[in-house]
Amino acid sequence: QGSRLASPPRSAPVVRAHRSRAASHVSRAAASTDGGGTADDPWNKGPIDLDARLYSYLLGTTREPEVLRQLRVETSTLRGSQMQVPPEQGQLMALLIELMGAKRVIEVGTYTGYSSIAMALALPSDGVLVACDTSEQSFEVARRYWKLAGVESKMEERLGDGKATLDALLARDGPGHYDVGFVDADKRGYWEYYEKLLKLVRPGGLIAVDNVLWYGKVADPEVTDKQTEAIREFNARVAGDERVTQQIVPVGDGLTLCRVR
């Protein structure tokens, strides 16, 4: 403090400069060894290297109902099996349904039904999940497992274009009717689905959007296909959207969670 009022000794600036370089060195070292990032923008905790052994451990601590395990096994033999959400994501979504006390859910992109069952099992007995998909073949699998899981009475099936379905639901039910909306459909349509769900989901409700890290492609500047670019644009727009509180969660292929304000 006193050095601001009186002329410091000649050695003082040298000492301060030495300390500054040392602090910078320590900061850079901490950034590179503890968390990562840079001295000016350190990662306080670096990302977990989720290798096969650690992922197997994670799955071993995940509560996956037997009916979902059976569905996962069957889906693994089908075309597009990578579209199915993993067990830990299904469990997270069920937890979110419980935490919110949700009763009404919209799912855009049901595929063979894993995520719809995970959420429906967490809904109360009078809960409703509107399952939207464009594939009758996928619905044929989903119906069997909805019945096996005992949730078929909670399901409202909608076969057809997702955007048209959301418009029809808005006309029928009005704005703010739903507690949760989940999107796992065509990536180039994400922003339109999101805008429609902002009308359908109540304030305080949740919009969840899958595949937002897109197998890591979003971070690779050399990947410029239309789907990747669409997801990049979607992520950037949601990050700046003051209508929601949002965060990307690195579960599965990346899951954006948005609380509607």
Side-chain angles (χ1 to χ4, degrees):
Q1 296 290 334
S3 63
R4 295 184 180 181
L5 302 177
S7 297
R10 289 181 179 273
S11 60
V14 177
V15 172
R16 282 200 298 270
H18 174 72
R19 287 176 178 171
S20 175
R21 285 195 297 271
S24 176
H25 172 74
V26 170
S27 180
R28 281 194 297 271
S32 63
T33 60
D34 292 347
T38 66
D40 293 331
D41 189 14
W43 301 349
N44 295 332
K45 188 181 292 292
I48 294 174
D49 182 9
L50 199 62
D51 60 14
R53 182 172 66 175
L54 185 55
Y55 185 61
S56 294
Y57 175 83
L58 173 64
L59 291 181
T61 63
T62 299
R63 297 179 184 176
E64 182 183 41
E66 176 60 20
V67 65
L68 287 180
R69 188 198 67 78
Q70 292 174 14
L71 173 56
R72 180 160 55 88
V73 171
E74 179 171 340
T75 303
S76 70
T77 68
L78 303 177
R79 183 174 178 231
S81 60
Q82 76 281 358
M83 294 190 294
Q84 185 177 73
V85 304
E88 71 276 14
Q89 183 175 337
Q91 179 63 19
L92 173 62
M93 293 169 69
L95 175 61
L96 293 170
I97 295 293
E98 288 190 17
L99 286 171
M100 295 185 63
K103 281 189 157 187
R104 293 178 292 271
V105 179
I106 304 174
E107 178 180 67
V108 185
T110 296
Y111 188 41
T112 57
Y114 192 102
S115 52
S116 64
I117 293 172
M119 290 188 286
L121 286 171
L123 287 170
S125 59
D126 59 344
V128 175
L129 188 149
V130 182
C132 311
D133 208 282
T134 59
S135 170
E136 171 61 27
Q137 186 176 7
S138 293
F139 267 143
E140 288 175 1
V141 179
R143 290 185 199 111
R144 285 195 286 111
Y145 281 91
W146 290 341
K147 186 174 182 177
L148 284 171
V151 298
E152 60 182 339
S153 64
K154 299 178 183 180
M155 297 297 180
E156 179 183 334
E157 183 183 319
R158 291 293 188 113
L159 179 66
D161 177 73
K163 301 179 188 70
T165 296
L166 295 181
D167 288 338
L169 292 174
L170 184 61
R172 184 191 75 179
D173 301 324
H177 182 74
Y178 292 88
D179 303 301
V180 176
F182 175 53
V183 180
D184 186 8
D186 58 296
K187 313 313 170 192
R188 294 168 68 181
Y190 267 15
W191 186 256
E192 287 185 74
Y193 294 130
Y194 173 79
E195 284 286 358
K196 293 177 187 298
L197 286 173
L198 279 173
K199 298 175 184 176
L200 283 158
V201 175
R202 64 173 172 80
L206 176 71
I207 298 173
V209 183
D210 202 16
N211 300 117
V212 294
L213 295 181
W214 201 227
Y215 309 103
K217 293 178 184 179
V218 289
D220 186 346
E222 295 185 4
V223 179
T224 58
D225 63 90
K226 292 181 179 180
Q227 288 195 91
T228 303
E229 292 285 16
I231 295 172
R232 284 193 189 112
E233 181 181 359
F234 174 79
N235 290 342
R237 294 175 76 175
V238 173
D241 190 352
E242 295 297 328
R243 295 173 294 177
V244 299
T245 304
Q246 63 82 33
Q247 179 60 48
I248 294 177
V249 181
V251 62
D253 190 27
L255 180 68
T256 289
L257 300 178
C258 302
R259 178 186 181 274
V260 180
R261 291 177 172 174

mmCIF file of all heavy atoms in Angstrom, residues 7 13-14 18 34 62 85 95 98-99 104 109 120 141-142 146 148-150 163 173 181 217 228 249 260:
data_model
loop_
_atom_site.group_PDB
_atom_site.id
_atom_site.type_symbol
_atom_site.label_atom_id
_atom_site.label_comp_id
_atom_site.label_asym_id
_atom_site.label_seq_id
_atom_site.Cartn_x
_atom_site.Cartn_y
_atom_site.Cartn_z
ATOM 1 N N SER A 7 8.184 7.034 -3.384
ATOM 2 C CA SER A 7 8.948 6.420 -4.465
ATOM 3 C C SER A 7 9.529 5.106 -3.969
ATOM 4 O O SER A 7 10.193 5.069 -2.921
ATOM 5 C CB SER A 7 10.090 7.351 -4.898
ATOM 6 O OG SER A 7 9.539 8.541 -5.416
ATOM 7 N N PRO A 13 10.540 -2.549 -8.635
ATOM 8 C CA PRO A 13 9.902 -2.940 -9.884
ATOM 9 C C PRO A 13 10.410 -4.286 -10.394
ATOM 10 O O PRO A 13 9.672 -5.059 -10.956
ATOM 11 C CB PRO A 13 10.269 -1.812 -10.852
ATOM 12 C CG PRO A 13 10.561 -0.642 -9.969
ATOM 13 C CD PRO A 13 11.191 -1.240 -8.752
ATOM 14 N N VAL A 14 11.725 -4.526 -10.171
ATOM 15 C CA VAL A 14 12.290 -5.787 -10.623
ATOM 16 C C VAL A 14 11.662 -6.937 -9.861
ATOM 17 O O VAL A 14 11.300 -7.949 -10.432
ATOM 18 C CB VAL A 14 13.823 -5.783 -10.414
ATOM 19 C CG1 VAL A 14 14.399 -7.134 -10.811
ATOM 20 C CG2 VAL A 14 14.454 -4.673 -11.234
ATOM 21 N N HIS A 18 9.400 -9.905 -11.414
ATOM 22 C CA HIS A 18 9.771 -11.299 -11.201
ATOM 23 C C HIS A 18 8.589 -12.087 -10.645
ATOM 24 O O HIS A 18 8.293 -13.187 -11.098
ATOM 25 C CB HIS A 18 10.960 -11.365 -10.231
ATOM 26 C CG HIS A 18 11.324 -12.765 -9.853
ATOM 27 N ND1 HIS A 18 11.938 -13.639 -10.720
ATOM 28 C CD2 HIS A 18 11.143 -13.451 -8.691
ATOM 29 C CE1 HIS A 18 12.136 -14.799 -10.131
ATOM 30 N NE2 HIS A 18 11.662 -14.716 -8.902
ATOM 31 N N ASP A 34 -3.683 -29.238 -14.160
ATOM 32 C CA ASP A 34 -4.834 -29.491 -13.305
ATOM 33 C C ASP A 34 -6.119 -29.593 -14.106
ATOM 34 O O ASP A 34 -6.814 -30.603 -14.049
ATOM 35 C CB ASP A 34 -4.977 -28.387 -12.253
ATOM 36 C CG ASP A 34 -3.848 -28.411 -11.243
ATOM 37 O OD1 ASP A 34 -3.114 -29.419 -11.215
ATOM 38 O OD2 ASP A 34 -3.713 -27.443 -10.506
ATOM 39 N N THR A 62 -26.093 -47.285 -13.225
ATOM 40 C CA THR A 62 -27.297 -46.692 -13.809
ATOM 41 C C THR A 62 -28.472 -47.647 -13.649
ATOM 42 O O THR A 62 -28.367 -48.831 -13.969
ATOM 43 C CB THR A 62 -27.077 -46.389 -15.307
ATOM 44 O OG1 THR A 62 -25.997 -45.459 -15.442
ATOM 45 C CG2 THR A 62 -28.333 -45.793 -15.932
ATOM 46 N N VAL A 85 -31.117 -43.146 -27.418
ATOM 47 C CA VAL A 85 -30.392 -42.528 -26.313
ATOM 48 C C VAL A 85 -29.762 -43.612 -25.447
ATOM 49 O O VAL A 85 -30.303 -44.715 -25.337
ATOM 50 C CB VAL A 85 -31.299 -41.621 -25.446
ATOM 51 C CG1 VAL A 85 -31.966 -40.558 -26.292
ATOM 52 C CG2 VAL A 85 -32.324 -42.435 -24.681
ATOM 53 N N LEU A 95 -35.234 -38.674 -14.265
ATOM 54 C CA LEU A 95 -35.013 -37.877 -13.061
ATOM 55 C C LEU A 95 -35.561 -36.462 -13.233
ATOM 56 O O LEU A 95 -36.203 -35.905 -12.322
ATOM 57 C CB LEU A 95 -33.512 -37.829 -12.750
ATOM 58 C CG LEU A 95 -33.072 -36.938 -11.584
ATOM 59 C CD1 LEU A 95 -33.706 -37.386 -10.272
ATOM 60 C CD2 LEU A 95 -31.543 -36.934 -11.461
ATOM 61 N N GLU A 98 -39.300 -36.429 -12.872
ATOM 62 C CA GLU A 98 -39.682 -36.518 -11.460
ATOM 63 C C GLU A 98 -39.456 -35.202 -10.735
ATOM 64 O O GLU A 98 -40.308 -34.745 -9.963
ATOM 65 C CB GLU A 98 -38.902 -37.636 -10.777
ATOM 66 C CG GLU A 98 -39.328 -39.034 -11.181
ATOM 67 C CD GLU A 98 -38.693 -40.098 -10.302
ATOM 68 O OE1 GLU A 98 -38.192 -39.759 -9.214
ATOM 69 O OE2 GLU A 98 -38.691 -41.277 -10.707
ATOM 70 N N LEU A 99 -38.301 -34.588 -10.953
ATOM 71 C CA LEU A 99 -37.973 -33.339 -10.261
ATOM 72 C C LEU A 99 -38.979 -32.238 -10.589
ATOM 73 O O LEU A 99 -39.317 -31.419 -9.731
ATOM 74 C CB LEU A 99 -36.564 -32.882 -10.644
ATOM 75 C CG LEU A 99 -35.394 -33.655 -10.041
ATOM 76 C CD1 LEU A 99 -34.081 -33.221 -10.677
ATOM 77 C CD2 LEU A 99 -35.334 -33.442 -8.526
ATOM 78 N N ARG A 104 -47.293 -33.628 -18.562
ATOM 79 C CA ARG A 104 -47.532 -33.606 -20.005
ATOM 80 C C ARG A 104 -46.209 -33.380 -20.739
ATOM 81 O O ARG A 104 -45.525 -32.370 -20.510
ATOM 82 C CB ARG A 104 -48.544 -32.515 -20.355
ATOM 83 C CG ARG A 104 -49.944 -32.804 -19.815
ATOM 84 C CD ARG A 104 -50.919 -31.699 -20.137
ATOM 85 N NE ARG A 104 -50.605 -30.468 -19.410
ATOM 86 C CZ ARG A 104 -51.069 -30.169 -18.211
ATOM 87 N NH1 ARG A 104 -51.861 -31.016 -17.574
ATOM 88 N NH2 ARG A 104 -50.751 -29.035 -17.623
ATOM 89 N N GLY A 109 -39.445 -37.187 -32.310
ATOM 90 C CA GLY A 109 -38.430 -38.157 -32.686
ATOM 91 C C GLY A 109 -38.387 -39.300 -31.681
ATOM 92 O O GLY A 109 -37.563 -39.315 -30.772
ATOM 93 N N ALA A 120 -41.959 -41.880 -19.593
ATOM 94 C CA ALA A 120 -43.320 -42.289 -19.228
ATOM 95 C C ALA A 120 -43.339 -43.051 -17.904
ATOM 96 O O ALA A 120 -44.285 -42.916 -17.121
ATOM 97 C CB ALA A 120 -43.933 -43.139 -20.333
ATOM 98 N N VAL A 141 -42.113 -51.152 -33.327
ATOM 99 C CA VAL A 141 -41.261 -51.618 -32.226
ATOM 100 C C VAL A 141 -41.648 -50.914 -30.931
ATOM 101 O O VAL A 141 -41.807 -51.549 -29.878
ATOM 102 C CB VAL A 141 -39.773 -51.367 -32.544
ATOM 103 C CG1 VAL A 141 -38.895 -51.843 -31.380
ATOM 104 C CG2 VAL A 141 -39.364 -52.064 -33.832
ATOM 105 N N ALA A 142 -41.828 -49.608 -31.009
ATOM 106 C CA ALA A 142 -42.147 -48.829 -29.804
ATOM 107 C C ALA A 142 -43.432 -49.317 -29.152
ATOM 108 O O ALA A 142 -43.505 -49.448 -27.916
ATOM 109 C CB ALA A 142 -42.262 -47.349 -30.158
ATOM 110 N N TRP A 146 -43.909 -50.274 -25.312
ATOM 111 C CA TRP A 146 -44.804 -49.491 -24.458
ATOM 112 C C TRP A 146 -45.718 -50.434 -23.674
ATOM 113 O O TRP A 146 -45.932 -50.244 -22.476
ATOM 114 C CB TRP A 146 -45.655 -48.541 -25.306
ATOM 115 C CG TRP A 146 -44.908 -47.409 -25.939
ATOM 116 C CD1 TRP A 146 -43.675 -46.917 -25.582
ATOM 117 C CD2 TRP A 146 -45.334 -46.614 -27.057
ATOM 118 N NE1 TRP A 146 -43.317 -45.878 -26.401
ATOM 119 C CE2 TRP A 146 -44.311 -45.665 -27.311
ATOM 120 C CE3 TRP A 146 -46.478 -46.617 -27.856
ATOM 121 C CZ2 TRP A 146 -44.416 -44.727 -28.342
ATOM 122 C CZ3 TRP A 146 -46.584 -45.685 -28.886
ATOM 123 C CH2 TRP A 146 -45.554 -44.754 -29.120
ATOM 124 N N LEU A 148 -45.141 -53.700 -23.013
ATOM 125 C CA LEU A 148 -44.337 -54.463 -22.062
ATOM 126 C C LEU A 148 -43.993 -53.639 -20.828
ATOM 127 O O LEU A 148 -43.937 -54.159 -19.704
ATOM 128 C CB LEU A 148 -43.044 -54.943 -22.729
ATOM 129 C CG LEU A 148 -43.157 -56.126 -23.690
ATOM 130 C CD1 LEU A 148 -41.844 -56.342 -24.425
ATOM 131 C CD2 LEU A 148 -43.565 -57.381 -22.932
ATOM 132 N N ALA A 149 -43.758 -52.349 -21.018
ATOM 133 C CA ALA A 149 -43.399 -51.459 -19.910
ATOM 134 C C ALA A 149 -44.612 -51.009 -19.106
ATOM 135 O O ALA A 149 -44.456 -50.389 -18.049
ATOM 136 C CB ALA A 149 -42.659 -50.237 -20.450
ATOM 137 N N GLY A 150 -45.817 -51.279 -19.619
ATOM 138 C CA GLY A 150 -47.029 -50.871 -18.923
ATOM 139 C C GLY A 150 -47.324 -49.392 -19.014
ATOM 140 O O GLY A 150 -47.983 -48.830 -18.140
ATOM 141 N N LYS A 163 -43.150 -30.866 -37.406
ATOM 142 C CA LYS A 163 -43.528 -29.462 -37.332
ATOM 143 C C LYS A 163 -45.046 -29.299 -37.456
ATOM 144 O O LYS A 163 -45.659 -28.521 -36.722
ATOM 145 C CB LYS A 163 -42.795 -28.668 -38.408
ATOM 146 C CG LYS A 163 -41.280 -28.734 -38.308
ATOM 147 C CD LYS A 163 -40.628 -27.933 -39.421
ATOM 148 C CE LYS A 163 -39.122 -28.161 -39.445
ATOM 149 N NZ LYS A 163 -38.771 -29.525 -39.907
ATOM 150 N N ASP A 173 -54.388 -27.603 -27.993
ATOM 151 C CA ASP A 173 -54.163 -27.478 -26.545
ATOM 152 C C ASP A 173 -53.877 -26.058 -26.076
ATOM 153 O O ASP A 173 -53.998 -25.766 -24.891
ATOM 154 C CB ASP A 173 -53.002 -28.379 -26.115
ATOM 155 C CG ASP A 173 -53.249 -29.839 -26.446
ATOM 156 O OD1 ASP A 173 -54.418 -30.269 -26.353
ATOM 157 O OD2 ASP A 173 -52.281 -30.550 -26.805
ATOM 158 N N GLY A 181 -40.653 -30.678 -23.326
ATOM 159 C CA GLY A 181 -40.541 -31.019 -24.734
ATOM 160 C C GLY A 181 -39.158 -31.577 -25.002
ATOM 161 O O GLY A 181 -38.160 -31.010 -24.539
ATOM 162 N N LYS A 217 -18.279 -33.331 -34.008
ATOM 163 C CA LYS A 217 -18.111 -32.621 -35.272
ATOM 164 C C LYS A 217 -18.277 -31.112 -35.121
ATOM 165 O O LYS A 217 -17.686 -30.336 -35.877
ATOM 166 C CB LYS A 217 -19.107 -33.138 -36.305
ATOM 167 C CG LYS A 217 -18.876 -34.579 -36.739
ATOM 168 C CD LYS A 217 -19.943 -35.005 -37.736
ATOM 169 C CE LYS A 217 -19.793 -36.465 -38.126
ATOM 170 N NZ LYS A 217 -20.857 -36.878 -39.090
ATOM 171 N N THR A 228 -24.204 -30.604 -39.537
ATOM 172 C CA THR A 228 -23.275 -30.067 -38.533
ATOM 173 C C THR A 228 -23.409 -28.559 -38.427
ATOM 174 O O THR A 228 -23.449 -28.003 -37.320
ATOM 175 C CB THR A 228 -21.832 -30.456 -38.874
ATOM 176 O OG1 THR A 228 -21.729 -31.882 -38.960
ATOM 177 C CG2 THR A 228 -20.862 -29.951 -37.809
ATOM 178 N N VAL A 249 -25.317 -30.333 -21.554
ATOM 179 C CA VAL A 249 -24.817 -31.365 -20.645
ATOM 180 C C VAL A 249 -24.112 -32.431 -21.479
ATOM 181 O O VAL A 249 -24.720 -32.982 -22.414
ATOM 182 C CB VAL A 249 -25.977 -32.001 -19.846
ATOM 183 C CG1 VAL A 249 -25.445 -33.059 -18.888
ATOM 184 C CG2 VAL A 249 -26.749 -30.922 -19.088
ATOM 185 N N VAL A 260 -37.692 -22.719 -19.678
ATOM 186 C CA VAL A 260 -38.418 -21.610 -20.294
ATOM 187 C C VAL A 260 -38.675 -20.551 -19.241
ATOM 188 O O VAL A 260 -39.206 -20.836 -18.175
ATOM 189 C CB VAL A 260 -39.742 -22.091 -20.916
ATOM 190 C CG1 VAL A 260 -40.490 -20.920 -21.549
ATOM 191 C CG2 VAL A 260 -39.488 -23.187 -21.935
#
